[in-house]
Each structure stands twice: as structure tokens, then as C-alpha cells.
Amino acid sequence: MTTPATPPSAIPERPSLDGLEEKWGQVWRDERAYAFDRAAARAAGRSRVFSIDTPPPTASGSLHMGHVFSYTHTDCMARYKRMRGFHVFYPIGWDDNGLPTEKRVQNYYGVRGDATLPYDAGLQPPHRGTTASMKAADELPVSRRNFIELCDELTVTDEEAFESLFRRMGFSLDWSISYRTVDDHSRATAQQAFLRNLERGEAYQAEAPGLWDVTFQTAVAQAELEARDYPGHYHRVAFHKPDGSPVYIETTRPELIPAVVALIAHPDDERYAALFGTTVTAPLFGVEIPVLAHPAAEMDKGAGIAMCCTFGDLTDVLWWRELRLPTRSVITRTGRIQHETPEWITGAGAALFAERVAGRTAYGARTAIVEALRESGDLDGEPTPTQRKANFYERGEKPLEIVTSRQWYIRNGGRDAALNERLIGQGDAVEFHPAFMRARYANWVAGLNGDWLVSRQRFFGVPIPVWYPLDEEGDPLWDKVIRPTEASLPVDPAAQAPPGYDEAQRGRPGGFVGDPDVLDTWATSSLSPQIASDWRGHTMGRETDFDVVFPMDVRPQAHDIIRTWLFATIVRSYYEHGSVPWHNAAISGWILDPERKKMSKSKGNVVTPEDVVKEHSSDAVRYWAASMRLGTDAAYDVGQMKVGRRLAIKVLNASKFALSFGSVSGDLTDAVTDELDRSMLAGLRDVVAKATAGFEGWDYTRSLEVTETFFWSFCDDYLELVKDRAYGSRGEAGAASARAALRIALDALLRLLAPFLPYVTEEVWSWFHDGSVHVAAWPTPAELSTGGDVAVLPAVGAALSGVRKAKSDARLGMRAEVTALTLLAPAADAARIAAAESDLRAAGRITGTIASADGDAIEVRDAQLLPVEKVKPQPQPLPGS
């Protein structure tokens, strides 16, 4: 191995971490250090490309430590693969659409979208981040187009801040391969994939019960649910048999009695066996309903018999579907009871509904019906408090309602057992890291009970690219979908006329209407591999990256979105390509606060990374992140960042010493002749092998651990042991061996640490190398093969530690002289220590005899010490001399 000479001026007199991020960040930016070389990648072939399906962070506010945590993991692997000679495809995207963006825009500007309003070219929103939050009634209504423009404006501003932090963190992204999930390319890609799903029958629309958030006024998919405790009351209510005797049910939602379609009990429940196949009459509204059996009824819950309403919860949907029950919905999209009296309620019940229930909120209707039940005598006792489980949208604050509406779906195996099995099999084709995360995928897919709802009732997103013709009465013909050509994408059906029509026909009988909805954010994000690699361009016959990067090598992401992003991406890739979208899934955990609770904005325990990075340095924060393994939740730990900062500073100082001996030329490996030096390199050879195995096994934390452990031993023991010899105390041969070994070790250690500490390693590398450490070859055991006994350095280091302990126990400084000692050691270790005795004497300041004795472990005894102040006192100069 040879290394270039070191120009003395290249090493700062006082190396510091300060300013390294600005210095090297600018260099990497100017030199496009991490750009994907398409021509070279094509020439090398797919096997020499490492492609990453980078998570597009949601650009709706500030970044958090979770971003720093998981993106650091990915960047460590990207840097390792680049040093291994791979052409690394490492794009970056921004996820702009979704409810979080719309909510942030509403709060930031003080506006809300209203599709009925015309566009205002001179709109000035009432606020620009000058208010924390507003009531909906105080928000300025603006047109759909104005609202979208404000969304676009704010997300671009947020993305600039995100990019600044990502660059400061040293993420080696190719910034020329970037996208936004609402840019023309992403919209066209998402619309093209949807149209192909529609053409093949994988996408369909249906009028069906679905989960609805009354706050955000949008449908919600199964993957976006959270079950939370919600306070309520059990009401014991009497239904009536034909003979007038009561059948009591217990319900937390008496306001849904107008929507009841059956009473359901378990088929094995003997209490109700005689009722199956008969009918009962609902209280207050007099509707006759059947009593039916179904195994999903819980015999030990409440009265053991439940009313099925369309729809109170997901069990009602199950019963409705499997027992083929009628639909009698009374809850509207606003969360209120409908104003019109339902056709199935007549007589006195109809009057009661109109007078006391119609148009009320669910809470108001519940209060009115409970009072009416008291009056009729159908309420047995008073309501009893309880905590019930209710479904919430993960970002919502009110329980979801189930309303019937027309929505778009993509088949995902939730209603097709054969497809379900095939999609579970697709998960088996992906290597999960850690492996146990595969079970989370399989369990989620196996538990699906409905297809993927992909339409959303929002403004900012990818429009569903279809229109519908209107009949002569002006009603949409839903089954006569009008589709655009793929070449015409992207399209906005709310602003463009379909082929064969003009804008004047919009909304008129015999004309057309555009689909008003947008695609779910996951319906676009699930195509991140196709968007980043320009699959659309590939389908149009252009030369793109698609054929050299897809299927990608890795999808890094958090474990909580296995059910959404990971699964949805597998579904889309299976349909479009018949393959998995990537070969590996690297799953990270959550960031926890000091009390081991997940950090989240709603809990107020989020730490934003900008100030943390400035205080501790990017390398220190990356060290903290890389110290946590994949798949495990990690505590936010400033102490660990301080350890990382000390490590980075030590790299600077130890490197300055190792390079302080001026020019070292020739074949360095041949110059290493001393047994201690050869032992150190033999130990480093083992570290290289273990660090490489760690990265190859997706355990980069292990790679950091073994490298860091060796580095501190290298500094604490080896540097101290060879210092005098490197300065020439044992002649030129001994000095040359030490200096060569220091150069070889430093060269390898910087490359081992480079994926984790990119700034400090780049800085030191520049002191004695041209080019970047981040494109240097990853070290190999072969380049460290000097034939040494790996056990020599640990043995001598243990002896030195014993000497240090003796001085510490005597409360003397490390410069104290040792005039005699006894060294206990096994025979093999004693021989190893003897081979490096001169280095041990110099480092430990041992001037007297070293007696040897057999021992089970290396130990120093009976050390005789001379305090440093009594060692060769120097005369003090006279004042003024």
C-alpha cells in the first residue's frame, strides 16, 4: 500500500469541527459529488447499480428527529455502496398532497377552499403565518384554484427549509433527481397508473358504506384508522315482539335507532334461539325488523343481542353485506341526521323524527331520542357511563361516521382470498430488515376486510382523471367513464373538458361533468419508484433510468407505514410489472422522548433538529442515529450525541498526530516490521471484515460499533505505545515502521468511519489525499495483511492499562516514573509483551525492572512509583532572562 506525501500546510494548527458542514457541503454541491452517472451505470449493468426508493417526506411544517434518524440509516448504506464501487441511484422527493398540507395552508393563510367560488387573480390571503390557528367560521373562503395555488406556494417554501437541513446533515442524495408529488411528472405518472388499473379492472367505483371524517369532509381508508377510547353511555332499550313483550338491547348509539335494519344474536345463544326468523318492532319509530343469527355477535357483550344499523360501526357493515340487509342511512356527510324523514318511517314515528331528530348533530339526536325513550317507557333504567372503542382518522379529533357514497377503489385482496394470498406471497419475495417485520406485513394483508379506497374529497392532490357524460336530465352516467389518452396527461377534469366536448357543455344535460375528487396521497406515493425512475417516460419510448434501477434495491421506511406505503407500493408494482418494487425493505423504529413515549406534534414532545445539529454538529447527530439498529425504537439522547462529537474531535486530533511526521513514501506495507505495528494492523484487518459483514447484513450499527471500539483502543493504547518510537527513539527502522503503520491504519479507519461521520472524515482525508474519501474504495482485509499476531497489541495494551491503574490508585499523574513492577500474565501473553517491551516502557515511563510471574490474566502488581516532580527537576530561568 502506498499513500501520497502530506503537505505540512494542509493540516490546520488547531483542527476543529466548526465550519466543516459549510465548507464541505459547498464543495459537494459544486462538484455534484453524489450525482448518478447514467452512462456509467448503463455500461456497468444493473448488477453494479444500487437504487434507493427514498421516502418523500411530507412537506407540511418542520422536520423532526425521526427524519434525521431514518434518513441517516439510509445514507450510511448509500455511502457504503458507493465506496464498494456501485453506481448509487439516490433520489429525493417531497410529498406535498394530503390533508396535513391542506390543514397547514388553512391555518397559515386563514383560508378554506370553496369549489363554488370563482378564481381571484389578485387574491391576498388574510394571514401569512401570523396566526396560530383559526376557527373554520373565521377562515376566508377562496376558490379551488386559489386554494391550490396557496398550497403550492407554501409547500415550496417548506421544501426549501427541508432541503437546507438535509444538505447540512450530509445526506448524499442526488438533488438532480427530485420530484414533488403534485408536479406535472408525478401527476401524470399517478394518473397513468390509475387509468391502467381501471383498464384492467383493478380499479372500480362503487356506491358503498365507507368511513367518513366529518371534520375534514373526506372518506378515510382502513389503513388510516386509529382505534381510540371514547366516552359514552350504555342505554338499555326495549324492542317489542309481536305479543308486545320486550327484547332488550344495549347500545351506545341510540340516535341510530331510525337506521336499524335487524337485531343480531349469535347462532349458539339459546336465549334468542326462538326469536331467529321472527320480527320485532323498533321503539319510537315503529319499524318492523327481523331477528337474525350471525357468528360475529358477542354473547358475553351487553345483552348478547345487538341492533344492526346502517351504519354504526364496521360490524354493521359486515352484517349488512353478509346477511344482505337493506340500507337505511340517516347520518349525512356533515355528521348530522338527514333533514328528510326516511321513507321507511311512517305515522307517529315520522312526526317524531321530523320534530325532534331531523337535521340535528349525532349528539343532539342522541339526547332527543333518549328523552323520547324515557317518555315512551322503552328506556330501562338510566344510561350507564362506559368507555367504548371508536374508529378515528389518524389525524382527526372526532369519531368517524360510516356513510354511503360513491368512491373509487383499487382491489387489494380485502375481498378476494386468492388475490390476498398472492399479495402475501409478494411480501415473501422481499427481504425485510429486521426479518420479523415481514410478519407485520403478512398480518396486515391477511386481516384486510375491504378494498383500498383511493378517492378523497379534497382540493390539493392528483385529480382522478375521468369525466362522466350527463344524460338528458343532467344526471351523471357513472358507468360511462370518459378517459383521457395517456399522452395527454396530466389532466384536471375540473378545469379541462374531455375529448369530444368543449367547456360550454360542462354541467349541462347531454354534456359532461368532471370527477371532483383527488387520489389518496398513498395512491401517488405508492408509485415513488416509478416516479423517481421515470417509468412514464419509459412507457413513452424515451431513454430513462427505469430499466437500470427497477426493481429497486431497497425501500427504507418506518414500521408504522408498512400497512400503507409499503403494502400499497407492492400492490401497484404487482399490477403494473408483475414483480416486487424492491428487493429489500429496511424498517426503522420511532424516536421516543426521555419517558419512552413516541415523539409527536400532538403530544408536544417533538424536538426539531435544526438547533440540535448546530449545537452538536451533523456528524454527532448522525452518530446518535447510526447507533440505533433497524426495527428498534430509539430514545432521543443528547448524551449519545456528545459521545459522537467527542469521537469526531478525536478523529481530528489523532489524525493530526498520525500525519505529523511529514512525508512517508514508498510501499508502506513493506515498511511495517515491528511486531506491535503488525499486530495493530492484524486487528484492524479483523475490524474491516466485521464492518463489511455488518453492512452486507444491513446491520450498520454493528459496523459502527466494531470500528469505534477499535478506534478508541487505537488512540488510547496504540498511539501512546508507539509515540516515542515514531519520533525516532529506537532508530530509523523502528520509526519508519510506526509511521507507516499509522498511515495505513488512518487511511483505513477514515474509510470505515466515512459513512457515519462524512464531514470530519472528508476533512482529514483532504490533508493527505486528492479527491473525496466518499468515492475512495472501501477497505479490504487484503490491504492490511502484514502477517502480525493479532493478540500482541491487546496484551501490551492490557499491561499498559495495569500500569496506568497503579498510578491512578496511588493518586499520581500518568507521567510518574515506574522504578519497578511485577507483571503477571499467561506464558503466551508474557512472550507477546516481551516482544514490545521497549514500547511499553516508553509509554508507561517504566525505568526500572519488570519482574515476570505466571497468572491467569494480565495484571500489574507491586509497582514502585516516583512522582513526576522528583524526576529530573529542571532549573527555572531567572526573571527577565
Side-chain angles (χ1 to χ4, degrees):
M1 176 181 178
T2 59
T3 61
T6 308
S9 61
I11 305 177
E13 183 177 347
R14 293 184 178 179
S16 170
L17 299 181
D18 295 339
L20 293 188
E21 285 126 355
E22 291 79 6
K23 173 183 176 180
W24 290 110
Q26 190 61 48
V27 169
W28 296 335
R29 188 170 191 160
D30 293 344
E31 296 181 355
R32 299 187 68 241
Y34 306 117
F36 179 65
D37 189 332
R38 292 170 175 81
R42 286 187 175 281
R46 179 65 182 89
S47 64
R48 298 306 300 165
V49 172
F50 185 79
S51 52
I52 302 169
D53 184 15
T54 317
T58 301
S60 58
S62 60
L63 286 161
H64 53 77
M65 292 306 294
H67 289 104
V68 169
F69 177 67
S70 58
Y71 282 81
T72 296
H73 287 179
T74 307
D75 190 63
C76 289
M77 181 60 82
R79 290 182 177 277
Y80 165 75
K81 288 292 185 179
R82 201 176 283 115
M83 296 176 75
R84 293 283 287 181
F86 286 85
H87 299 279
V88 177
F89 182 81
Y90 194 6
I92 180 63
W94 308 107
D95 191 3
D96 304 287
N97 63 17
L99 286 173
T101 296
E102 293 197 11
K103 190 66 176 175
R104 173 161 160 73
V105 166
Q106 287 177 228
N107 288 336
Y108 188 87
Y109 293 110
V111 299
R112 59 182 170 84
D114 186 337
T116 66
L117 296 178
Y119 176 67
D120 180 356
L123 175 72
Q124 290 297 321
H127 300 284
R128 287 187 178 272
T130 54
T131 182
S133 63
M134 296 182 66
K135 294 180 179 179
D138 297 331
E139 294 170 344
L140 175 69
V142 300
S143 74
R144 172 181 179 274
R145 181 177 167 189
N146 284 124
F147 189 80
I148 290 173
E149 286 180 351
L150 292 174
C151 289
D152 202 50
E153 175 185 291
L154 188 57
T155 52
V156 168
T157 301
D158 286 340
E159 285 157 15
E160 290 172 354
F162 282 31
E163 179 177 338
S164 176
L165 179 64
F166 273 35
R167 286 186 181 275
R168 188 179 185 94
M169 284 300 301
F171 298 149
S172 57
L173 296 151
D174 183 347
W175 291 96
S176 70
I177 312 174
S178 64
Y179 63 88
R180 302 173 62 225
T181 54
V182 293
D183 64 24
D184 284 351
H185 172 62
S186 296
R187 286 188 291 123
T189 303
Q191 289 181 337
Q192 180 172 335
F194 174 80
L195 289 173
R196 291 189 172 196
N197 292 140
L198 180 58
E199 180 69 26
R200 293 189 295 258
E202 297 145 5
Y204 66 94
Q205 59 177 327
E207 185 88 20
L211 294 155
W212 185 267
D213 189 289
V214 298
T215 302
F216 292 108
Q217 284 293 289
T218 187
V220 175
Q222 183 181 351
E224 298 170 306
L225 299 185
E226 277 187 7
R228 303 179 197 164
D229 286 328
Y230 191 72
H233 291 79
Y234 269 125
H235 306 78
R236 185 173 166 85
V237 177
F239 283 67
H240 302 283
K241 301 176 188 177
D243 63 5
S245 59
V247 177
Y248 288 103
I249 60 99
E250 293 186 17
T251 180
T252 59
R253 302 203 64 183
E255 72 274 17
L256 292 180
I257 290 176
V260 66
V261 292
L263 293 189
I264 312 287
H266 194 279
D268 296 334
D269 195 330
E270 296 179 356
R271 292 173 295 178
Y272 304 109
L275 284 176
F276 295 145
T278 68
T279 61
V280 294
T281 302
L284 302 182
F285 303 103
V287 178
E288 189 175 352
I289 59 171
V291 180
L292 304 173
H294 194 281
E298 299 175 85
M299 289 189 285
D300 58 350
K301 183 177 180 180
I305 189 168
M307 65 176 187
C308 174
C309 303
T310 52
F311 296 93
D313 58 24
L314 292 175
T315 304
D316 284 346
V317 177
L318 173 70
W319 287 334
W320 167 81
R321 181 178 295 131
E322 295 190 0
L323 298 174
R324 300 182 182 276
L325 297 170
T327 302
R328 294 175 180 167
S329 298
V330 295
I331 297 285
T332 66
R333 290 186 177 194
T334 63
R336 292 177 176 270
I337 304 296
Q338 66 184 50
H339 286 276
E340 302 81 9
T341 300
E343 60 183 19
W344 59 87
I345 299 177
T346 59
L352 174 66
F353 185 94
E355 294 171 9
R356 303 176 68 169
V357 180
R360 293 203 173 198
T361 64
Y363 177 82
R366 184 181 312 141
T367 302
I369 286 180
V370 169
E371 184 58 34
L373 289 169
R374 285 194 185 97
E375 294 169 4
S376 68
D378 291 318
L379 182 67
D380 184 23
E382 284 300 305
T384 57
T386 185
Q387 286 280 350
R388 66 183 178 96
K389 284 289 184 184
N391 285 316
F392 286 74
Y393 170 53
E394 58 190 358
R395 300 181 184 277
E397 298 177 356
K398 294 182 179 179
L400 295 170
E401 295 292 352
I402 298 178
V403 300
T404 300
S405 60
R406 180 170 294 276
Q407 302 288 345
W408 281 99
Y409 299 85
I410 290 179
R411 303 182 196 280
N412 67 356
R415 302 179 68 178
D416 182 335
L419 176 60
N420 190 281
E421 187 174 344
R422 291 197 298 273
L423 291 173
I424 291 174
Q426 289 293 290
D428 292 338
V430 176
E431 292 295 328
F432 282 78
H433 310 283
F436 69 81
M437 288 292 178
R438 178 181 283 107
R440 296 197 183 187
Y441 170 86
N443 291 340
W444 168 256
V445 180
L448 289 169
N449 55 31
D451 285 330
W452 176 15
L453 172 68
V454 295
S455 49
R456 292 292 184 275
Q457 291 65 52
R458 298 199 314 268
F459 292 108
F460 195 55
V462 176
I464 293 177
V466 298
W467 300 262
Y468 309 97
L470 300 179
D471 64 17
E472 293 181 356
E473 302 299 323
D475 294 324
L477 301 173
W478 301 111
D479 58 342
K480 306 292 184 183
V481 176
I482 305 171
R483 310 174 196 184
T485 63
E486 290 188 358
S488 68
L489 303 175
V491 298
D492 183 357
Q496 296 170 244
Y501 294 81
D502 60 49
E503 190 61 32
Q505 295 174 277
R506 183 182 296 274
R508 297 180 177 274
F512 72 93
V513 65
D515 195 302
D517 295 343
V518 298
L519 289 168
D520 167 29
T521 184
W522 298 113
T524 303
S525 297
S526 62
L527 297 165
S528 53
Q530 290 84 352
I531 293 170
S533 63
D534 195 6
W535 161 74
R536 173 170 163 77
H538 178 74
T539 66
M540 298 292 173
R542 298 194 297 266
E543 184 175 274
T544 71
D545 295 323
F546 181 74
D547 58 339
V548 292
V549 303
F550 189 90
M552 291 188 167
D553 289 282
V554 62
R555 152 66 66 81
Q557 65 164 73
H559 60 74
D560 57 323
I561 51 174
I562 288 175
R563 72 189 194 279
T564 48
W565 191 33
L566 189 146
F567 175 53
T569 309
I570 285 180
V571 170
R572 304 305 287 282
S573 181
Y574 174 72
Y575 281 143
E576 194 59 47
H577 311 291
S579 73
V580 293
W582 2 257
H583 303 298
N584 297 277
I587 310 299
S588 58
W590 285 334
I591 299 303
L592 309 177
D593 67 13
E595 297 181 1
R596 306 295 296 179
K597 296 178 180 177
K598 179 189 175 185
M599 282 191 174
S600 68
K601 292 179 182 179
S602 62
K603 294 179 181 178
N605 61 352
V606 167
V607 176
T608 54
E610 288 85 352
D611 292 339
V612 176
V613 172
K614 290 177 182 178
E615 179 180 358
H616 299 288
S617 82
S618 295
D619 281 347
V621 176
R622 287 174 64 105
Y623 170 87
W624 158 76
S627 299
M628 309 299 170
R629 281 185 165 79
L630 284 174
T632 59
D633 296 339
Y636 174 73
D637 188 353
V638 171
Q640 190 78 345
M641 295 176 197
K642 291 179 179 178
V643 172
R645 183 175 177 85
R646 287 197 297 271
L647 174 62
I649 292 171
K650 192 66 174 180
V651 168
L652 291 174
N653 295 330
S655 299
K656 181 179 180 182
F657 169 73
L659 297 172
S660 64
F661 302 102
S663 177
V664 179
S665 57
D667 190 319
L668 300 184
T669 306
D670 290 345
V672 180
T673 57
D674 190 275
E675 189 59 33
L676 186 68
D677 303 333
R678 295 168 68 198
S679 175
M680 181 272 293
L681 293 178
L684 182 54
R685 182 179 64 235
D686 290 348
V687 169
V688 168
K690 291 176 181 176
T692 304
F695 270 110
E696 292 298 322
W698 297 85
D699 188 2
Y700 12 89
T701 300
R702 176 61 176 159
S703 302
L704 175 59
E705 287 173 349
V706 297
T707 302
E708 181 189 11
T709 299
F710 180 89
F711 177 76
W712 283 114
S713 174
F714 172 80
C715 295
D716 294 344
D717 294 338
Y718 180 74
L719 293 186
E720 293 301 317
L721 286 165
V722 302
K723 186 182 295 184
D724 275 23
R725 177 156 55 86
Y727 280 120
S729 65
R730 285 172 51 195
E732 184 56 34
S737 178
R739 293 171 185 175
L742 285 169
R743 280 294 179 97
I744 294 171
L746 179 62
D747 198 281
L749 283 167
L750 289 175
R751 286 178 284 158
L752 289 173
L753 289 169
F756 309 104
L757 311 176
Y759 287 107
V760 72
T761 53
E762 187 79 303
E763 170 70 9
V764 173
W765 190 261
S766 73
W767 296 349
F768 67 116
H769 280 289
D770 293 328
S772 171
V773 67
H774 301 299
V775 293
W778 183 255
T780 64
E783 67 187 67
L784 299 166
S785 296
T786 56
D789 177 0
V790 72
V792 171
L793 178 57
V796 181
L800 179 60
S801 295
V803 172
R804 290 169 175 161
K805 182 177 184 301
K807 294 179 181 181
S808 179
D809 289 346
R811 297 187 177 181
L812 296 177
M814 292 300 109
R815 296 180 59 82
E817 184 177 317
V818 182
T819 57
L821 62 79
T822 299
L823 181 65
L824 280 69
D829 285 335
R832 294 180 177 111
I833 294 169
E837 183 176 322
S838 58
D839 288 331
L840 175 63
R841 283 182 174 275
R845 295 185 173 270
I846 304 171
T847 59
T849 59
I850 299 178
S852 299
D854 288 337
D856 294 332
I858 298 172
E859 184 180 355
V860 170
R861 290 185 182 175
D862 305 326
Q864 298 180 26
L865 307 173
L866 188 63
V868 67
E869 57 267 23
K870 297 183 180 180
V871 178
K872 299 178 183 179
Q874 300 295 320
Q876 298 296 314
L878 295 173
S881 62

